[in-house]
Structures are given as C-alpha cells and as structure tokens.
Amino acid sequence: MKKSLVILGIAFIIIGVLFSYQEDLQKIYYQVLRRFTQGELVLKKNQYYRDYDFDFVQNTDKLEPTNRQELLNTFYTIINSGEEEFTFYCPDSYSSCLDEVEQIANDQDLLSHINNFVHPYNGFNHIETQYDSLGKVTVYIKKSYSKKQIQELESKIDELSQELILPGDSDINNIRRVHDYIINHSIYDSNRSDYNITTYNSDIAYGPLFQGYGICGGYTDAMELFLEEMGIKSYKISSDQHVWNAVYLDGKWVHLDLTWDDPVVSSGENLLEHNFFLIDTSTLLALEQTEHIFDQNIYSELKEV
C-alpha cells in the first residue's frame, strides 16, 4: 500500500513538472517545426499573381514579418498568390506580432482594402485568420469567383478583346471601347443595391458580362479584367459606399468609374457618359464628394496634390 502511494506521488510530481514545462515544450516544438518547414514557407503563385507593388502593400518573400508593414505585406502576398490556405509564423523578436495579427484579422475594412490590390480572380469574398499563442498564423481564403466562372469569363474576355482592344491603337481608345461596351450591355442592378434582392451576380464581373446586370463591384471587376488583358497596371479603389478603378496611364494614376458613367434615370433610359473617364483626383472630387471620398493614405498613388 505504501509502495503504491509512493508511486502515485511520484507520478503526480512528474505530471506537475510536465505541466509546468508545457509551454516551454510547445515553444521548443514550434522552433523545431519552423526550422524544418522554413524551406516550405514559399507561396505557390498562380497565373493571376501580380508581380508589381503599390505604396500601401508590396509583395514579399519574407514570410516571417518583423514589423507591421511586413505583416501587411505578408497578408497581401498570400491573397495575391491565389493560395486558399497558408501558414506562417510570428518570430519571437516581433513581440507585438500576434496583437497586430488579431487587429488585422478583425479589421474587415482593412482586409477589403488590401483585397482591392489583387487580381479579381484571386480576390476573396471571405477571409479567416486563425492563430495561437505561440505564433502560428493560418489564413483561409474563399475566392469571389468559382473555377467555372473564371473559365467562362476568360473565354468571354478573349472573344471581346478581338473586337474592343485593337493593336496599334492608343490605350485610351482601347479603354474607351471597353468602357462603352460594358455600359451599353449592362443595367445597374438597383434591386440589389437598394433592396438587397440578389437575382444576378452583379457584384462581380460575371453579372455585367453574362447577365447584363451590375453594381459597382461588377462594373469595376469587369473593367479590371480588360485592363489586365491590355497589360495596364491598375487596382480597385473604394470608399465607404463605392468602388471604382484606378489606372496607371501615361506615367500617372487616374480614376475610371463605369458605375457613375452609367447613371440611373427615372425615364429608364440607358445612358452612356464619360464624366468619370480617366480623370485626376481633383476633377473627381470636384464632380462628386458623397461616394468618392477615399482614404488617400491607402490609395496614395492618387493623393490629391
């Protein structure tokens, strides 16, 4: 009996020691795991990866961030790569890393802004970040476009490009033809924007290009796909209420807003305008200051001078 009690006491002591060192053992485990997976912390980049940088976020091969900007760059690079799941680690030297991961993960507005800089096919409609106290961070991404939609859209873009994007013509003329085509073949989906009635995929390019209905997200994505086809650097720019295109043309960034060039009028007439066609920020804000007030620190390429 005494022998059993002694053995039981020793067992409790061992368990207590193991619990007291549990966190240290876990840290050692992650250190070993990081060492053996360090070479695997390389993103597989799909064909829609954008290999250029912006003022707010830049692509990075350094996937163990050491400050907030590098952390933002890590999130951007993961989304931009087209991966649907990726794990990275916060280094011990970056003491506030997990706090900032939590802040970014809970800031859907910030993540949406980062999402604006990637190719529409790599963009998400849902993103989730899981992390633990030892610095392991996993990002899960659900894309905005299905594989089937991408296949259909690529075929449609190829077909229309033969008609709208003419070799030897100026970028401005090619962009204008695409701008006019999308507007002339689409109706603004007021039921979705005003009453939250979802009948069409009007929030992505599929709506305007296949169903004839779009809201600002659909118009912008459709234009973005053609800009990619033309090899013109661009991204989506958004305010609290609206989204439109930012285009790098002739050495400067300008605004392109198909939604506002396709105004909804009480007569039901399908109008085509060019008021928001490749204009600078001063002109944009002189025309409209309700939906076009954007964060010039995020989209600083278009900062008003």
Side-chain angles (χ1 to χ4, degrees):
M1 180 70 176
K2 288 183 178 179
K3 184 177 180 181
S4 298
L5 289 173
V6 170
I7 293 172
L8 184 62
I10 292 172
F12 275 118
I13 291 172
I14 293 172
I15 291 171
V17 170
L18 288 174
F19 272 111
S20 66
Y21 286 100
Q22 181 180 17
E23 186 172 344
D24 289 335
L25 290 171
Q26 286 179 321
K27 285 183 178 179
I28 292 170
Y29 166 75
Y30 273 113
Q31 287 171 356
V32 173
L33 183 64
R34 289 181 194 184
R35 175 168 295 184
F36 281 97
T37 60
Q38 187 174 9
E40 298 177 6
L41 290 181
V42 177
L43 283 165
K44 297 176 182 178
K45 302 163 185 175
N46 68 12
Q47 65 266 44
Y48 308 115
Y49 170 83
R50 288 178 165 175
D51 63 355
Y52 41 81
D53 301 329
F54 303 98
D55 291 348
F56 188 65
V57 282
Q58 302 86 43
N59 289 297
T60 182
D61 292 324
K62 184 178 181 181
L63 298 172
E64 283 202 3
T66 60
N67 56 56
R68 179 178 170 80
Q69 183 59 54
E70 290 181 3
L71 188 57
L72 291 173
N73 292 346
T74 299
F75 272 89
Y76 167 61
T77 304
I78 292 170
I79 301 167
N80 186 35
S81 73
E83 289 274 40
E84 296 184 4
E85 178 182 338
F86 189 78
T87 296
F88 66 95
Y89 299 92
C90 283
D92 294 336
S93 58
Y94 182 9
S95 59
S96 62
C97 181
L98 283 177
D99 290 336
E100 299 198 32
V101 165
E102 182 178 15
Q103 185 272 322
I104 293 170
N106 292 328
D107 191 340
Q108 287 299 310
D109 286 339
L110 174 59
L111 289 168
S112 293
H113 287 306
I114 294 174
N115 198 42
N116 283 343
F117 292 101
V118 310
H119 189 294
Y121 293 158
N122 282 345
F124 63 80
N125 65 15
H126 180 75
I127 185 169
E128 181 179 335
T129 306
Q130 294 182 1
Y131 49 91
D132 62 30
S133 60
L134 298 174
K136 181 182 179 183
V137 183
T138 304
V139 180
Y140 301 92
I141 294 170
K142 182 179 179 181
K143 303 288 187 64
S144 296
Y145 291 81
S146 69
K147 291 180 180 179
K148 183 176 184 294
Q149 287 173 332
I150 290 174
Q151 289 173 350
E152 292 180 17
L153 282 164
E154 285 192 325
S155 178
K156 186 74 169 180
I157 297 294
D158 287 343
E159 174 191 338
L160 290 174
S161 293
Q162 302 301 315
E163 171 190 346
L164 303 174
I165 302 172
L166 305 183
D169 205 350
S170 68
D171 287 336
I172 292 176
N173 287 339
N174 284 331
I175 293 172
R176 182 181 288 109
R177 274 189 292 272
V178 173
H179 167 280
D180 294 357
Y181 175 89
I182 294 171
I183 292 175
N184 285 334
H185 291 79
S186 303
I187 298 172
Y188 186 76
D189 189 359
S190 298
N191 282 338
R192 182 161 188 165
S193 65
D194 297 346
Y195 306 108
N196 202 29
I197 299 173
T198 303
T199 306
Y200 308 102
N201 299 109
S202 52
D203 60 328
I204 61 174
Y206 197 87
L209 294 179
F210 279 97
Q211 299 167 327
Y213 285 87
I215 56 176
C216 56
Y219 282 106
T220 304
D221 270 17
M223 189 71 237
E224 195 82 354
L225 295 178
F226 282 101
L227 291 168
E228 284 287 325
E229 185 73 13
M230 287 183 265
I232 295 174
K233 191 174 182 179
S234 64
Y235 59 74
K236 296 184 289 186
I237 179 171
S238 60
S239 64
D240 291 338
Q241 305 175 53
H242 189 43
V243 59
W244 62 100
N245 301 97
V247 183
Y248 188 67
L249 200 61
D250 296 330
K252 62 181 180 181
W253 285 91
V254 289
H255 301 267
L256 177 61
D257 191 340
L258 278 69
T259 310
W260 275 72
D261 277 345
D262 188 13
V264 177
V265 294
S266 57
S267 65
E269 185 181 0
N270 192 15
L271 299 180
L272 167 65
E273 297 181 346
H274 295 87
N275 296 327
F276 293 83
F277 183 79
L278 303 178
I279 57 175
D280 61 25
T281 298
S282 297
T283 304
L284 175 80
L285 297 180
L287 287 170
E288 202 283 322
Q289 292 192 18
T290 301
E291 296 187 5
H292 290 95
I293 301 298
F294 64 96
D295 191 329
Q296 297 190 23
N297 292 316
I298 294 176
Y299 306 106
S300 57
E301 289 89 353
L302 288 143
K303 184 173 289 187
E304 193 172 17
V305 294

